[in-house]
């Protein structure tokens, strides 16, 4: 009987090995340097077999608001995890008033705390889950991912947001990680107009510092994408990429569709096409310029330096420009909210100024290019 | 694909099948379990300790401050003059690339646990920044900061309000309710805003003729319930300990 049993046991052992191997065909989860509520792990779609996956760390910092520390994305269950962010944060929010003063630095000027976030801000009915006292996580439908006549696919997204309590203003900092690998960063200005001059027009200029480490930190390069109409013939158009070799600024022109393209030296998709991330400005109305040198440009590229965190020092950081080709790079983007007060913002009452400016947004998106081999979520 | 072809006698084949099935069921989870690797063992040993980018605990913040203050470079910069602890934040330094790539395939990497400590020295008005390694209990980088790079704090707001209360003009403008105002809610952890609150925004100046040029100035905002008072427009220069009332817009 014993002689008859051992072949069966061998067979069972073989099946067990196959099973163990098939389990390990899915790449190991990346190790993350955070835990508990500060670690967010989100697979898409939220029901059914996984197709894409985000894994990231966040932190609520009193003077920086909601900061993303690490972010990995996996474009399919069998693909390897791709490093996207080392650190992403709003570096400052510069607020000059039209008469020339005041000129506030709403983040670097004061150690403002974050506001409380509760179930009223972050209800479960919209996919919300408060993460601690200051941050909301929303996992939600985001509308159409694609549509082709009768065939259609809706998309989903993970949104983390928290708000800085900058005295009379609240600044909502929102980070969106979509099922197709897209990332959106937005800042929304809301709450009460400056009570001493509630009807004076002003700008809120958030400046983001995005430490993008595509496929790890060395070997990244940035190119400046430009679209030109009428070249080489009047009816033709051309798109070009120029290498950014050393630290410095770049300007965004709405007619040129300027973008920063972040490449890694070796990262390719399954087709062998080089992968890149395109940082695209999403201005609301326009992008401002002021007297301060750091506001004279929209994009900046610097070489990673952990002590270079202040947006207003950007001209100094690039004063002696370091090479940024095939390097560890940081990109910066300045958005603008042109706040022209209106009656909807509030009113003068016997007690003072009362009312709330509705949320006004500005931001950017990072669009993956050749990260997938084919249309994501296509049957 | 594994194919098994086993000749089993008719007698006892049911028992054999059951034995094989049990072997399969019990062997699978055991085999699927990865052998503990050195990194997994390190991870297990580290269990219970905060991970490198977990938020700093209040105990770690206090320890970071003490480590910074024990550093001779920090002590030299701060001297014995009056100082303020401005912030203690988590700090992340990138490890070598080869280690970092390990994280992408699930290996724990050694990043250390670091904090950035910022002080403000009133005499001479400058900041001191120290990056502290909480595990090695040493300060790795120490630098001096310009005053404008050091954010102002609820302690500065409290000081500004004390200075403002010395001004007859401020008292007159706020009327009989002046003593009801309390600083807040800019203090982290403050639960509710008082009915009469004083808040502040830092004032920057680019014109050398502006009294706040290179000075630490706060614009005080006064809130009564949900409404903000539209006047007075009070600017307190903490560097010169002066109070200015702005007339514009009134």
């Amino acid at each position: 009987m014993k002689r008859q049993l051992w072949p069966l046991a061998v067979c069972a052992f073989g099946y067990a090995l196959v099973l163990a191997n098939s389990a390990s065909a899915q790449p190991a989860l990346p190790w993350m340097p955070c835990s508990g509520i500060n670690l967010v792990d989100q697979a898409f779609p939220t029901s059914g077999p996984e197709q894409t996956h985000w894994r990231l760390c966040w932190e609520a910092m009193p003077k920086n608001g909601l900061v993303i520390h690490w972010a990995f994305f996996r474009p399919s269950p069998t693909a390897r995890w791709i490093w996207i962010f080392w650190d992403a944060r709003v570096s400052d929010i510069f607020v000059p008033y039209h008469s020339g003063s005041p000129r506030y630095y709403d983040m670097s000027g004061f150690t403002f705390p974050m506001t409380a976030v509760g179930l009223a801000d972050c209800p479960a009915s919209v996919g919300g889950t408060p993460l601690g006292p200051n941050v909301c996580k929303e996992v939600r439908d985001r509308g159409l991912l694609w549509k082709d006549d009768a065939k259609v696919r809706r998309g989903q997204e993970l949104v983390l947001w928290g708000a800085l309590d900058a005295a009379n203003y609240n600044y909502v900092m929102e980070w969106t990680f979509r099922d197709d690998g897209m990332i959106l960063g937005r800042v929304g200005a809301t709450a009460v107009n400056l009570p001493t001059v509630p009807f004076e027009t002003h700008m809120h200029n958030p400046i983001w510092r995005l430490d993008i480490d595509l496929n790890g930190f060395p070997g990244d390069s940035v190119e400046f994408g430009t679209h030109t109409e009428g070249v080489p013939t009047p009816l033709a158009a051309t798109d070009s990429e120029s290498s950014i070799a050393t630290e410095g600024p770049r300007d965004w022109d709405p007619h040129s569709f300027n973008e920063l393209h972040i490449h890694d030296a070796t990262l390719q998709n399954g087709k062998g096409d080089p992968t890149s991330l395109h940082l695209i400005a999403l201005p609301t109305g326009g992008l401002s310029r002021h007297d301060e040198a750091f506001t004279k440009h929209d994009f900046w590229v610097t070489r990673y330096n952990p002590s270079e965190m202040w947006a207003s020092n950007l001209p100094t950081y690039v004063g002696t420009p370091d090479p940024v080709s095939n390097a560890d790079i940081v990109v910066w983007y300045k958005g603008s909210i042109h706040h022209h007060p209106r009656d909807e913002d509030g009113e003068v009452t016997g007690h003072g100024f009362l009312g709330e400016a509705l949320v006004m947004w500005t931001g950017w998106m990072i669009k993956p290019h050749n990260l997938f081999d084919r249309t994501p979520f296509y049957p | 694909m594994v194919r098994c072809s086993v000749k089993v006698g008719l007698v006892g084949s049911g028992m054999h099948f059951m034995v094989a099935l049990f072997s399969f069921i019990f062997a699978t989870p055991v085999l699927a379990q990865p052998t503990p690797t050195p990194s997994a063992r390190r991870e297990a040993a580290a269990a219970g300790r905060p991970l490198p980018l977990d938020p700093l605990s209040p105990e770690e913040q206090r320890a970071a401050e003490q480590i910074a203050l024990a550093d001779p470079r920090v002590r030299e910069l701060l001297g014995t003059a009056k100082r303020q602890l401005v912030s203690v934040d988590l700090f992340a330094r990138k490890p070598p690339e080869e280690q970092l790539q390990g994280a992408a395939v699930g290996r724990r990497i050694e990043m250390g646990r670091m904090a950035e400590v910022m002080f403000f020295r009133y005499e001479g008005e400058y900041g001191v920044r120290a990056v502290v390694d909480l595990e090695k209990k040493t300060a790795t980088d120490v630098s001096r900061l310009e005053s404008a790079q050091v954010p102002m704090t609820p302690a500065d707001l409290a000081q500004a309000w004390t200075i403002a209360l010395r001004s007859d003009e401020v008292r007159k403008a706020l009327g009989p309710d002046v003593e009801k105002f309390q600083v807040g809610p800019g203090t982290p952890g403050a639960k509710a805003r008082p009915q009469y609150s004083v808040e502040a925004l830092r004032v920057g100046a680019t014109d050398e003729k502006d009294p706040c040029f290179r000075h630490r100035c706060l614009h005080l905002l006064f809130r009564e319930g949900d409404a903000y008072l539209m006047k007075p427009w009070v600017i307190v220069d903490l560097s010169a300990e002066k109070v200015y009332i702005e007339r514009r817009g009134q």
Side-chain angles (χ1 to χ4, degrees):
Chain A
M1 186 166 155
K2 276 181 185 168
R3 232 182 10 234
Q4 287 171 325
L5 271 177
W6 75 263
L8 266 177
V10 168
C11 182
F13 185 73
Y15 273 118
L17 275 179
V18 168
L19 212 76
N21 277 339
S22 67
S24 66
Q26 199 174 71
L29 288 173
W31 176 79
M32 301 297 280
C34 60
S35 60
I37 58 168
N38 295 91
L39 170 62
V40 173
D41 183 284
Q42 184 64 53
F44 290 113
T46 51
S47 59
E50 173 191 327
Q51 294 195 38
T52 62
H53 203 143
W54 282 101
R55 203 162 156 81
L56 55 95
C57 296
W58 63 269
E59 189 191 3
M61 297 176 77
K63 65 181 181 215
N64 286 103
L66 178 56
V67 174
I68 304 298
H69 281 309
W70 281 24
F72 281 97
F73 181 69
R74 186 167 69 181
S76 79
T78 54
R80 68 190 181 90
W81 290 88
I82 296 168
W83 206 305
I84 306 288
F85 280 140
W86 171 267
D87 182 283
R89 63 180 68 198
V90 181
S91 168
D92 213 336
I93 301 174
F94 176 56
V95 188
Y97 279 69
H98 274 28
S99 60
S101 76
R103 308 174 87 74
Y104 297 120
Y105 292 82
D106 274 348
M107 288 185 74
S108 65
F110 199 95
T111 54
F112 288 119
M114 291 185 74
T115 69
V117 166
L119 290 172
D121 312 72
C122 189
S125 57
V126 297
T129 310
L131 299 178
N134 308 115
V135 173
C136 175
K137 177 180 90 166
E138 292 179 31
V139 179
R140 62 194 185 198
D141 179 284
R142 65 173 177 93
L144 292 179
L145 179 62
W146 56 262
K147 176 169 171 60
D148 180 0
D149 301 335
K151 288 193 292 185
V152 66
R153 174 86 194 201
R154 292 184 72 85
Q156 291 180 308
E157 63 189 11
L158 157 71
V159 182
L160 297 181
W161 68 264
L164 198 72
D165 183 1
N168 55 310
Y169 268 103
N170 280 190
Y171 290 108
V172 186
M173 295 170 190
E174 189 187 78
W175 300 93
T176 299
F177 299 88
R178 289 189 164 168
D179 51 4
D180 60 355
M182 187 97 85
I183 306 168
L184 290 94
R186 296 201 300 173
V187 163
T190 183
V192 185
N193 291 0
L194 187 65
T196 42
V197 279
F199 301 110
E200 182 170 332
T201 307
H202 54 278
M203 290 281 182
H204 301 266
N205 297 292
I207 304 102
W208 285 266
R209 179 188 185 275
L210 304 174
D211 185 351
I212 297 174
D213 286 345
L214 180 58
N215 196 33
F217 61 76
D220 285 344
S221 300
V222 187
E223 292 182 326
F224 190 58
T226 302
H227 167 87
T228 312
E229 282 289 331
V231 174
T233 62
L235 293 182
T238 305
D239 289 308
S240 63
E241 280 188 325
S242 61
S243 236
I244 299 179
T246 55
E247 292 180 313
R250 291 292 183 278
D251 295 335
W252 179 79
D253 170 11
H255 304 296
S256 300
F257 293 82
N258 300 115
E259 304 171 348
L260 293 186
H261 298 170
I262 296 101
H263 293 263
D264 175 73
T266 58
L267 187 64
Q268 301 177 334
N269 67 5
K271 286 180 168 173
D273 292 324
T275 302
S276 59
L277 300 176
H278 292 191
L279 174 62
I280 300 170
L282 296 179
T284 308
L287 296 173
S288 69
R289 293 285 184 272
H290 307 282
D291 190 50
E292 288 76 1
F294 76 97
T295 68
K296 301 288 187 193
H297 305 282
D298 310 301
F299 296 112
W300 297 74
V301 181
T302 58
R303 196 179 177 99
Y304 169 75
N305 178 336
S307 62
E308 293 183 347
M309 305 299 284
W310 290 281
S312 56
N313 281 6
L314 274 165
T316 309
Y317 298 158
V318 305
T320 309
D322 285 324
V324 288
S325 188
N326 210 18
D328 184 3
I329 54 98
V330 175
V331 296
W332 307 68
Y333 170 70
K334 183 183 78 65
S336 300
I337 297 165
H338 185 227
H339 184 181
H340 192 167
R342 52 183 185 153
D343 288 347
E344 287 83 349
D345 290 358
E347 60 191 319
V348 178
T349 68
H351 282 286
F353 190 76
L354 191 63
E356 309 285 353
L358 307 183
V359 188
M360 300 158 281
W361 294 100
T362 193
W364 47 265
M365 68 175 170
I366 289 175
K367 185 179 187 180
H369 205 86
N370 302 339
L371 178 62
F372 292 84
D373 300 344
R374 62 195 294 274
T375 306
F377 298 91
Y378 192 75
Chain B
M1 185 70 189
V2 175
R3 289 169 188 269
C4 274
S5 173
V6 182
K7 289 181 183 172
V8 180
L10 286 174
V11 179
S13 62
M15 186 197 283
H16 295 158
F17 175 73
M18 292 302 287
V19 171
L21 185 64
F22 278 113
S23 317
F24 180 79
I25 289 168
F26 289 115
T28 301
V30 172
L31 289 166
Q33 201 82 312
T35 313
T37 59
S39 67
R41 279 196 292 272
R42 275 201 302 277
E43 192 145 353
R49 281 194 296 153
L51 290 169
L53 297 187
D54 279 337
L56 294 173
S57 67
E59 294 75 26
E60 287 178 309
Q61 289 179 322
R62 280 193 289 275
E65 180 189 0
Q66 292 310 313
I67 294 165
L69 287 172
D71 186 273
R73 293 164 296 177
V74 174
R75 282 212 303 267
E76 189 183 337
L77 282 167
L78 287 177
T80 52
K82 185 185 171 192
R83 64 165 186 262
Q84 183 194 159
L85 175 68
V86 174
S87 58
V88 182
D89 294 323
L90 187 67
F91 183 82
R93 189 190 297 281
K94 290 186 185 179
E97 167 65 6
E98 55 275 14
Q99 275 193 45
L100 206 61
Q101 287 301 343
V105 292
R107 284 199 296 275
R108 182 190 174 94
I109 58 174
E110 298 305 326
M111 288 172 60
R113 187 135 170 90
M114 318 277 287
E116 182 190 68
V117 187
M118 198 186 286
F119 297 97
F120 183 72
R121 179 186 148 121
Y122 290 88
E123 190 182 314
E125 296 206 331
Y126 61 83
V128 177
R129 171 184 178 266
V131 176
V132 164
D133 185 325
L134 286 161
E135 291 170 353
K136 294 179 181 162
K137 301 191 185 331
T138 56
T140 59
D141 300 305
V142 175
S143 57
R144 178 181 161 142
L145 300 173
E146 295 301 315
S147 174
Q149 290 179 295
V150 184
M152 295 178 81
T153 66
D156 293 316
L157 167 56
Q159 176 65 12
W161 180 227
T162 303
I163 295 169
L165 280 172
R166 294 182 204 143
S167 158
D168 291 339
E169 209 172 349
V170 171
R171 287 184 164 274
K172 188 178 169 192
L174 290 171
D177 291 331
V178 65
E179 297 291 350
K180 294 181 184 169
F181 284 93
Q182 302 170 45
V183 292
T187 313
K191 287 193 167 53
R193 189 177 62 232
Q195 173 67 13
Y196 292 84
S197 63
V198 187
E199 300 173 8
L201 290 165
R202 186 180 190 158
V203 179
T206 50
D207 183 352
E208 289 185 22
K209 291 176 196 152
D210 190 319
C212 284
F213 182 71
R214 292 193 179 156
H215 278 207
R216 289 159 56 81
C217 291
L218 285 175
H219 172 187
L220 301 187
L221 308 178
F222 303 97
R223 193 167 198 180
E224 187 181 335
D226 286 333
Y228 278 93
L229 306 188
M230 296 173 68
K231 56 185 180 179
W233 183 333
V234 178
I235 293 171
V236 179
D237 179 347
L238 282 102
S239 304
E241 298 208 356
K242 285 186 177 173
V243 179
Y244 306 101
I245 309 287
E246 174 87 41
R247 309 284 173 202
R248 182 162 50 107
Q250 292 172 25

